[in-house]
Amino acid sequence: MSTPAEQLRVLLDGVEEVVPAEEFERAVTEAARGDRPPLRVKFGMDPTSPDVHLGHTVVLRKLRDFQRFGHTAVLIVGGFTAQVGDPSGRSTARPRLTPQEVADNAATYLEQVRRVLLPEPLEVVDNADWLGSLAMADVLRLASQATVAQMLERSDFAARYADGRPIAVSELLYPLLQGHDSVEVRADVELGGTDQTFNLLVGRDLQGAAGQAPQSILTLPLLEGLDGSEKMSKTAGNTIGVTDEPAEQFGRAMRVRDELMTKYLRLVTDVHPDEVDRIAAGLERGDLHPAQVKRRLAREIVTLYHDAAAAEAAEERFDRQFKEHRIPEDVPEVAVPADLDSLPALLRATGLTSSGSEGRRMIAQGAVRIDGERQHDADAGIDVRALVGSVVQVGRRRFARVALDDDPASARAQGS
C-alpha cells in the first residue's frame, strides 16, 4: 500500500494550483491512513461535441489517479449546463445546444470517457436531474449568492464588458449552476482546467453557504494542440482523438512540437512522473534525441487506447510511409473547408491541382496518395475532418498537410 507522501506525489504531479493546499494535503493524508472516508472527487464535462480528445483526458487521467488510491470519482455529465454554455475563456457566447444534441453527444462521450477512467469507484450523474427541476424561486435564491461585480472580476467577462461585447444573463448564471453541482454531489475535491478556476471557487462558496465543508480545488494546465499554439480543440483541427485509429494516433503524435513532448508525457500518458523528470533532464543535457522521445510518446499514446502490438504496427507503418515514400518533414499545412465531399475537390482546395478535372486525371494515373497510400477512386466520398493532419501527395514533389477551415464561404469558393 502506498504512503500518503507517495500518493501526494502522484496526485499533485502536473497540477497547476491547489486551493487550499494544506487542507487538501491533510484530507489525502487522513484518507490514506484510514482516519476519514475516501474523498469524493468531482469533475464535470459538458458534452458540447461528440468526440473526446487528449486535451479532455488531462483532467480525466488525474481523476483516475484518485480512483487508483480508492477515492470515488464523481463524473458529472452536463446535460443541463451544456445547454447554457460555459463562458470560460470565451470572447463570445457559445451557441445554444438543444437537449437532443446534448443527449446525442453524451452518448458518445461516456463510451470514450470509460476508456480513461477505471470502472470503480465511479459515479456518473447528469446535472439535468437536479438543475432541470429548479423552480424560479430556487434560481433566484441561487442568483442571490453572487453579485454582478464578482462576476465581472472574471477576466473573460471583464474583457467583453470593456469592449462592449454582449454578455448574456445565462452566462452569468453558469458558474452558479456548476457550483450548485458541488452542493448536490457533496464534493470534497473538484478538478478542472486552469480556465475553470473562477467556477470552481464559486462551488466552494456555495457549499459553505449550504453548511457543507467547502471542496478543495485542483486545476490542471490546458494542453496545446499539435500546432503548439492554440488549445487542443476539434475546431482548430489540432487534436489526437481517443478513438482515432492507431496509425492516425501515431502519426499525429509525431507532429507534437519538441518543446511540448515532456508536457504530453506527463499529462496524457502512464509514464511515471519520476521517469518524465529523467527524460526532461536527458533532453536538456542532450543525452536524448528529440526524435527518440517523440517515438516513445507516440507508442505510449497508441498503447493506452489500443495495445502494444497496435503501437508497434503503427510505428512500422509510419516508417514505411514517411521513409520509403520520402515525405518531407516540412510539408506545408493548408486549411480546407470542412464540407468538401470529393478527393478532386480536396486536391484543388489544397492547391495540389489547378482544377477538379486535373485531380481526376492524376488519380486515374495513380499519382495521388494520402499518407503514402495510393488513391484510385475519384468518385469516393471523403470526410475532411477525418483527414486533418494527413499528408496528401500528387506526383513526387507536391505535398500538403490537411488542416481545417470551418468557414462555409470558403467551401463555396473552392468548388470541385
Side-chain angles (χ1 to χ4, degrees):
M1 182 177 294
S2 57
T3 67
E6 290 169 340
Q7 291 190 19
L8 286 169
R9 168 75 174 98
V10 172
L11 294 177
L12 294 177
D13 184 64
V15 170
E16 193 80 15
E17 185 179 19
V18 184
V19 180
E22 291 184 3
E23 183 178 299
F24 170 75
E25 291 175 12
R26 182 170 58 252
V28 170
T29 299
E30 291 175 353
R33 292 173 177 168
D35 296 335
R36 64 166 291 164
L39 303 177
R40 294 177 57 77
V41 188
K42 168 198 170 191
F43 174 51
M45 293 185 71
D46 284 347
T48 53
S49 73
D51 299 307
V52 174
H53 54 65
L54 293 192
H56 296 124
T57 70
V58 171
V59 181
L60 286 169
R61 291 178 56 78
K62 185 57 61 179
L63 190 58
R64 190 182 70 167
D65 286 339
F66 280 92
Q67 288 181 291
R68 288 167 50 200
F69 297 129
H71 302 294
T72 300
V74 183
L75 179 67
I76 297 181
V77 178
F80 190 90
T81 46
Q83 298 176 55
V84 178
D86 184 2
S88 299
R90 302 281 296 188
S91 58
T92 58
R94 289 182 182 273
R96 291 290 302 275
L97 298 179
T98 67
Q100 187 59 53
E101 288 173 326
V102 173
D104 291 344
N105 290 341
T108 61
Y109 252 50
L110 287 178
E111 186 276 328
Q112 295 172 70
V113 164
R114 291 182 188 277
R115 296 185 179 213
V116 182
L117 297 178
L118 301 177
E120 297 290 342
L122 173 64
E123 295 178 13
V124 180
V125 292
D126 187 335
N127 64 17
D129 292 343
W130 53 82
L131 295 179
S133 59
L134 289 179
M136 179 57 71
D138 300 319
V139 175
L140 292 175
R141 187 161 43 250
L142 188 61
S144 70
Q145 300 295 313
T147 67
V148 172
Q150 286 175 311
M151 292 298 172
L152 289 179
E153 289 176 2
R154 291 179 54 136
S155 58
D156 41 19
F157 283 164
R160 287 163 65 179
Y161 185 75
D163 292 344
R165 285 171 285 168
I167 303 171
V169 174
S170 60
E171 294 182 280
L172 297 177
L173 287 175
Y174 188 96
L176 294 167
L177 298 176
Q178 180 175 329
H180 186 66
D181 289 347
S182 294
V183 176
E184 287 287 339
V185 302
R186 305 187 73 88
D188 296 310
V189 179
E190 183 171 10
L191 308 180
T194 51
D195 59 344
Q196 290 288 309
T197 302
F198 184 92
N199 295 351
L200 307 185
L201 290 171
V202 170
R204 278 180 57 85
D205 293 341
L206 293 184
Q207 284 182 307
Q212 297 181 13
Q215 63 189 12
S216 299
I217 68 172
L218 272 67
T219 61
L220 288 104
L222 304 178
L223 187 70
E224 294 91 340
L226 303 183
D227 52 13
S229 55
E230 293 188 59
K231 181 179 75 171
M232 184 174 284
S233 72
K234 192 72 174 179
T235 301
N238 59 5
T239 66
I240 301 175
V242 302
T243 58
D244 287 348
E245 292 301 316
E248 184 175 8
Q249 284 183 339
F250 192 95
R252 292 190 177 210
M254 290 297 290
R255 292 173 53 205
V256 172
R257 300 282 291 271
D258 287 358
E259 62 270 23
L260 292 175
M261 290 189 299
T262 54
K263 183 174 184 177
Y264 269 66
L265 283 168
R266 191 178 302 280
L267 296 179
V268 302
T269 77
D270 280 342
V271 178
H272 192 278
D274 292 342
E275 186 173 358
V276 177
D277 290 343
R278 289 192 292 271
I279 291 171
L283 287 168
E284 182 71 21
R285 293 191 305 267
D287 298 340
L288 291 175
H289 193 283
Q292 176 186 357
V293 176
K294 194 169 295 186
R295 282 177 176 271
R296 167 75 182 276
L297 171 64
R299 288 194 300 268
E300 292 284 346
I301 291 171
V302 177
T303 300
L304 268 179
Y305 297 105
H306 299 280
D307 54 42
E312 182 179 355
E315 185 170 15
E316 291 175 355
R317 178 179 176 184
F318 179 87
D319 287 339
R320 286 197 305 272
Q321 292 176 357
F322 288 84
K323 288 186 175 180
E324 294 177 13
H325 295 302
R326 304 182 188 279
I327 296 177
E329 295 183 358
D330 57 345
V331 174
E333 191 169 76
V334 181
V336 300
D339 55 356
L340 294 177
D341 59 1
S342 71
L343 183 54
L346 176 64
L347 295 176
R348 182 185 178 193
T350 55
L352 296 175
T353 62
S354 61
S355 65
S357 58
E358 182 192 359
R360 288 180 173 276
R361 288 196 303 272
M362 299 304 288
I363 294 169
Q365 294 169 14
V368 176
R369 298 176 185 268
I370 297 179
D371 287 341
E373 294 188 2
R374 197 182 305 276
Q375 305 299 304
H376 302 284
D377 189 352
D379 295 317
I382 62 170
D383 179 358
V384 173
R385 293 183 183 276
L387 293 176
V388 170
S390 295
V391 174
V392 182
Q393 176 181 355
V394 176
R396 293 185 176 182
R397 296 182 177 84
R398 285 180 279 176
F399 300 89
R401 191 183 301 278
V402 179
L404 198 61
D405 177 1
D406 277 323
D407 181 4
S410 62
R412 291 191 296 270
Q414 297 289 350
S416 60

